[in-house]
Amino acid sequence: MKKMFLDGNVAVALGSIRAGARFFAGYPISPVSELAEFCSHEMPKAGGIYVQMEDEIAAIAAVIGASLGGKKAFTATSGPGFSLMQENIGFASMAEVPCVIINGQRFGLSTGVATKPGQSDIMQARWGRHGDQSIIALTPASVQECFDLTLEAFNLAERFSSPVIVLTDATLAHLKERIRVPDPAEIKTVKRKEPQGPPEEYKPYQPDERGIPLLSYFGSEYILKVTGLVHTEKGNVSSDPGVCASLIDRLERKIYDYQEELPPPRYYGEEKAETVLISFGISARAAREGMRRALLEGISSGLIQLQTVWPFPEGAIRRLSSHASKVIVVEMNRGQVTREVERILPEGVEVNSLLRADSEVIYPREVLEKIKEVQ
Amino acid sequence: MEKKKGKFPFIIEERLCKKCGICVSHCPAKVFTAGPGNEPRVTNPRKCTGCNLCFFRCPDFAIQLEVSP
Amino acid sequence: MDIPVRYGDYIDWDQLPHLWCPGCGNGIALKGVALALAELNIPLHKLLLATGIGCSGRAGNYVSFHSFDGTHGRTLAFCTGINVTQPDLKIIAFLGDGDCGAIGGNHLLHAARRNLNITVIEINNFNYAMTGGQFSPTTPLSSITSTSRKGKAEYAMDTASLVAEAGANYVASTTVYHTSQLNNFIKEALLTRGFSFVEVMSSCPTYYGRYNHIGDGPEMMKWFKEKTLPRDKYEKLSLEEKQNYIERGKLVQRNREDFLTTYKKRRKK
Ligand code: SF4
Ligand code: SF4
């Protein structure tokens, strides 16, 4: 174990390399350009490759290609690039290609404010592609979690044979904190399994009992057929309604049905609190501090900090807030997670939110004020 | 493969032929004629010069070597 | 030209007949690929056929080796990642004129510029056939398509020249009528280290041939025979005469280092 003083960008990149990533493709964009720069010199040292592509569409495509070539691969971008990547993230979901996409969220829509933070890509992460599918999205709140959750993202990508999105933001990307970096020997990484049996009988999209296929790689004796069209277990194109239905059903359920295995929400503060905050990412830091001040003032409060935002951890949130009469969602957007919370909580629980969408982070004192206001 | 002038070295797999007529129209030696449904018929096999053009130009993998696949 | 008997090993016969129309050139070009692979005797698992979207995009279904069918136009971007992680894999990108000239134009230029170790076979049928015969960047000026009923009002794009300019190691163009030349170009392209590109002008009797009153498969073959000229002959024509012909032949054959070689040289510790 080593203590290191890093910013979120570098922690993400380091976590990726430690997770076994050996390919990075990207296109420079604020606030994650430093992440690409780090990969450009550190990836080759680790025996990997950095490619600077012509745009973000190409970057995610190259990442998917590298993963199909047998290497763990990732890219990093921000809102405008994340929008461009949606097409091929959908492809990765359809073709079940493990890969990791880092979105350092910045403020606003379109070009927004390139250097300032936002948390308004939550719904885009979930619904940005056409068609039904499940997706995994993680939301680190500290530099330590940037490292840990990125590493976990790679493991989840392999376990679920799926793209995994990590949502940081402009503040976290440049925030420097001291973190524990485990030695490579201490790190558990999920290795891709190799198909077994006679190669002629291999079916790349034959799911196991959890609905996960076992893809070989291009160059393997196990011939791999990959397509974004609806396909059979063999990987051949089909438009048969039965094949369509079972594929779409499996793509959604292979993640949704196993969401309890994803990083669970953290809980801070008073057990069985009456007022429970729900937050994630950099806002969860302010929420935690605001909640601590409220406790000092004798207000019964707690915080649910989401590590996984998609699939939305409905069960865990309901459990952790079961004693609360009031909930306050703290987020830097116009209420994207608030809507989810309203959807899942039973009637009778009062759902409030503290929203900020002006390119500034939320401060602990605002959180405290909000807690007091709803009492 | 050895070229033998005067022997048509292919078979036409009916299952694959789409009756496009390319072999019939473009064989330099006029080995084929079209049947009533535009299907190719090898009517002049002895004129075959062994140029293999019908094989190369058949878009449907229907004209095949007798030995393969 | 002889026929390498093992060409059938590269085809997935169970998936045939293919979905292409009678007289469509896609099958002729795909057969050219299989013939070249058999002649070069490349093991199946060391091969990838990567396609895009459209009629040509279905080719991967008909080969017995690895295949990748990506999103429209992005195929060469996917192949970038595949090439650098599997340097020994022979990658054949079997693309359409939309994949190459329109939605994928930028990726094509950059793949050629990087000199990735990839062979592109561009099936140029002068239109977007799978979606009903709309014009594409390579559709000649004045041609009739379903979105240019009175003639295409835009100039055509010459993808082969663009790729040559961008830095590819091998560039050639021909038609599905000129199969000896076609099969030879494909073989030479596959033997090239670095980026190689063969433009195959292909028959689409269903749309391009019909709309432009050229006719069916055999008629389109005749059209290619009469309408195209070898580069040297074409060059001798007057500017006015050139309007009536399309050139075919080899544009470039050179030996620049491929991407992985230039990359590795500059990343040595
Ligand atoms: S060229 Fe092939 S598909 Fe066309 S008619 Fe002849 S055998 Fe049939
Ligand atoms: S529409 Fe044109 S290009 Fe497509 S399969 Fe038919 S003939 Fe070929």
Side-chain angles (χ1 to χ4, degrees):
Chain A
M1 198 273 294
K2 244 205 283 190
K3 292 252 180 194
M4 292 173 98
F5 189 59
L6 306 175
D7 66 26
N9 273 335
V10 173
V12 163
L14 196 63
S16 302
I17 294 174
R18 290 289 160 90
R22 290 296 176 268
F23 183 87
F24 177 94
Y27 189 80
I29 187 167
S30 298
V32 295
S33 299
E34 301 87 343
L35 200 164
E37 287 170 10
F38 182 87
C39 287
S40 75
H41 46 85
E42 292 307 314
M43 223 14 138
K45 285 189 202 160
I49 286 186
Y50 165 89
V51 189
Q52 195 163 299
M53 295 301 289
E54 50 272 23
D55 56 32
E56 287 89 348
I57 301 172
I60 177 70
V63 162
I64 293 166
S67 180
L68 290 168
K71 295 270 190 278
K72 292 187 184 175
F74 78 120
T75 183
T77 188
S78 187
F82 194 53
S83 291
L84 286 180
M85 287 184 185
Q86 295 301 325
E87 174 195 37
N88 285 334
I89 296 174
F91 178 88
S93 282
M94 179 60 146
E96 304 182 68
V97 184
C99 57
V100 173
I101 301 104
I102 313 294
N103 176 7
Q105 296 171 96
R106 60 200 229 181
F107 176 76
L109 72 165
S110 188
T111 317
V113 181
T115 52
K116 296 183 85 183
Q119 291 183 318
S120 47
D121 304 348
I122 302 294
M123 282 299 168
Q124 189 187 20
R126 177 64 188 91
W127 299 111
R129 283 78 52 201
H130 56 280
D132 289 321
Q133 81 244 225
S134 273
I135 191 87
I136 299 172
L138 308 179
T139 48
S142 64
V143 176
Q144 181 71 55
E145 284 180 6
C146 281
F147 180 90
D148 295 342
L149 287 182
T150 303
L151 204 144
E152 182 60 12
F154 279 90
N155 287 343
L156 294 171
E158 295 296 327
R159 262 174 49 207
F160 288 92
S161 210
S162 168
V164 174
I165 295 166
V166 179
L167 297 166
T168 68
D169 65 77
T171 302
L172 205 47
H174 295 139
L175 177 72
K176 279 201 160 190
E177 293 184 302
R178 229 167 124 78
I179 70 165
R180 310 172 67 247
V181 176
D183 296 330
E186 295 169 58
I187 294 174
K188 273 208 196 100
T189 59
V190 176
K191 281 216 182 66
R192 218 172 276 188
K193 280 187 259 163
E194 301 250 340
Q196 307 288 330
E200 321 73 80
E201 285 166 24
Y202 171 64
K203 291 185 185 156
Y205 289 98
Q206 185 170 47
D208 66 10
E209 66 291 348
R210 295 173 46 129
I212 315 282
L214 178 53
L215 302 194
S216 64
Y217 58 91
F218 291 137
S220 158
E221 305 252 349
Y222 293 88
I223 299 300
L224 182 58
K225 299 243 159 214
V226 177
T227 172
L229 288 158
V230 169
H231 44 271
T232 62
E233 291 185 353
K234 206 87 189 112
N236 287 124
V237 174
S238 171
S239 54
D240 175 85
V243 175
C244 293
S246 75
L247 178 64
I248 298 307
D249 180 63
R250 184 171 66 72
L251 287 181
E252 194 165 274
R253 292 186 48 193
K254 72 169 185 179
I255 294 170
Y256 192 81
D257 288 358
Y258 296 91
Q259 52 177 292
E260 297 290 325
E261 293 175 18
L262 302 174
R266 295 177 190 280
Y267 188 84
Y268 300 102
E270 194 180 299
E271 252 180 76
K272 303 183 181 173
E274 269 168 40
T275 301
V276 167
L277 308 176
I278 298 175
S279 190
F280 56 93
I282 194 69
S283 299
R285 305 287 287 274
R288 191 172 167 187
E289 177 57 20
M291 184 264 315
R292 197 186 62 85
R293 291 181 198 173
L295 281 175
L296 288 177
E297 296 194 18
I299 304 170
S300 167
S301 48
L303 164 69
I304 299 171
Q305 181 218 316
L306 308 181
Q307 294 194 91
T308 301
V309 71
W310 301 118
F312 200 65
E314 312 182 6
I317 292 176
R318 277 198 215 102
R319 262 195 316 278
L320 290 168
S321 64
S322 58
H323 295 268
S325 55
K326 297 177 190 71
V327 157
I328 307 170
V329 183
V330 182
E331 54 181 332
M332 279 150 53
N333 59 47
R334 304 277 289 187
Q336 299 190 12
V337 166
T338 303
R339 242 167 304 194
E340 284 298 293
V341 171
E342 282 168 348
R343 179 176 69 79
I344 62 152
L345 285 187
E347 265 182 57
V349 184
E350 182 190 314
V351 179
N352 304 278
S353 49
L354 171 58
L355 308 176
R356 189 153 188 182
D358 65 352
S359 85
E360 294 289 322
V361 292
I362 294 169
Y363 289 92
R365 69 174 150 69
E366 297 173 82
V367 177
L368 177 63
E369 278 162 23
K370 188 77 193 179
I371 295 173
K372 286 183 172 167
E373 182 192 311
V374 304
Q375 295 308 312
Chain B
M1 206 194 61
E2 199 188 332
K3 269 184 206 170
K4 269 203 210 112
K5 204 174 144 92
K7 184 186 178 300
F8 181 72
F10 303 110
I11 50 162
I12 300 177
E13 194 178 333
E14 244 178 86
R15 178 181 80 96
L16 298 182
C17 173
K18 289 185 187 146
K19 307 178 179 75
C20 70
I22 288 176
C23 55
V24 178
S25 303
H26 290 277
C27 169
K30 307 242 176 308
V31 168
F32 309 84
T33 42
N38 209 35
E39 73 279 8
R41 288 181 174 167
V42 183
T43 40
N44 285 312
R46 284 189 311 173
K47 282 198 189 164
C48 176
T49 61
C51 70
N52 293 341
L53 283 172
C54 61
F55 170 87
F56 293 133
R57 289 190 186 134
C58 169
D60 286 274
F61 297 85
I63 300 184
Q64 294 166 16
L65 290 171
E66 260 179 290
V67 291
S68 83
Chain C
M1 202 185 144
D2 283 351
I3 301 168
V5 278
R6 303 302 297 267
Y7 83 97
D9 294 1
Y10 297 87
I11 300 297
D12 187 348
W13 294 90
D14 292 342
Q15 295 295 320
L16 297 180
H18 53 57
L19 57 47
W20 297 316
C21 308
C24 169
N26 271 304
I28 302 174
L30 186 64
K31 185 190 289 168
V33 171
L35 290 168
L37 295 175
E39 196 172 333
L40 303 175
N41 197 19
I42 306 177
L44 289 173
H45 70 281
K46 287 288 172 209
L47 283 169
L48 170 70
L49 194 84
T51 57
I53 301 291
C55 295
S56 64
R58 298 305 181 88
N61 223 28
Y62 310 123
V63 297
S64 57
F65 46 91
H66 294 287
S67 70
F68 175 85
D69 172 21
T71 44
H72 196 12
R74 318 297 175 203
T75 309
L76 291 171
F78 289 102
C79 288
T80 307
I82 302 169
N83 178 214
V84 302
T85 52
Q86 286 292 329
D88 297 334
L89 188 74
K90 242 299 142 251
I91 301 177
I92 303 149
F94 197 86
L95 307 174
D97 37 322
D99 283 319
C100 287
I103 189 165
N106 198 28
H107 306 306
L108 176 70
L109 292 185
H110 288 280
R113 173 183 65 78
R114 288 188 187 101
N115 208 11
L116 294 163
N117 198 10
I118 294 172
T119 296
V120 175
I121 310 291
E122 179 198 12
I123 305 299
N124 179 8
N125 61 4
F126 306 110
N127 77 116
Y128 296 148
M130 188 65 106
T131 46
Q134 301 80 18
F135 66 80
S136 87
T138 64
T139 308
L141 184 70
S142 302
S143 282
I144 314 294
T145 68
S146 62
T147 45
S148 61
R149 299 274 177 190
K150 294 186 172 169
K152 186 191 178 198
E154 301 174 14
Y155 293 109
M157 176 188 270
D158 179 353
T159 45
S161 302
L162 277 174
V163 173
E165 206 53 48
N169 266 353
Y170 183 93
V171 181
S173 64
T174 186
T175 81
V176 288
Y177 174 79
H178 301 90
T179 43
S180 314
Q181 188 174 47
L182 169 69
N183 296 346
N184 187 42
F185 283 167
I186 294 178
K187 192 175 79 187
E188 286 189 348
L190 286 169
L191 285 169
T192 304
R193 186 151 187 96
F195 200 79
S196 54
F197 184 88
V198 181
E199 178 196 8
V200 185
M201 289 171 257
S202 179
S203 48
C204 172
T206 304
Y207 293 111
Y208 193 77
R210 180 164 58 93
Y211 284 144
N212 291 284
H213 311 292
I214 301 167
D216 59 3
E219 290 299 321
M220 284 210 81
M221 294 296 258
K222 194 164 143 234
W223 185 74
F224 283 130
K225 181 182 169 186
E226 288 166 357
K227 262 289 191 185
T228 61
L229 281 180
R231 293 205 91 78
D232 48 340
K233 281 196 190 148
Y234 179 85
E235 289 312 327
K236 289 192 192 114
L237 298 181
S238 72
L239 217 57
E240 224 186 344
E241 287 171 316
K242 277 183 179 165
Q243 303 305 314
N244 300 320
Y245 293 98
I246 307 174
E247 65 212 296
R248 59 184 165 82
K250 209 184 292 179
L251 268 92
V252 164
Q253 192 163 19
R254 60 189 159 207
N255 200 13
R256 287 187 186 170
E257 286 176 336
D258 73 332
F259 173 69
L260 267 182
T261 310
T262 56
Y263 184 87
K264 286 202 170 131
K265 272 192 185 166
R266 282 155 191 86
R267 292 294 177 279
K268 276 204 197 114
K269 273 174 257 173

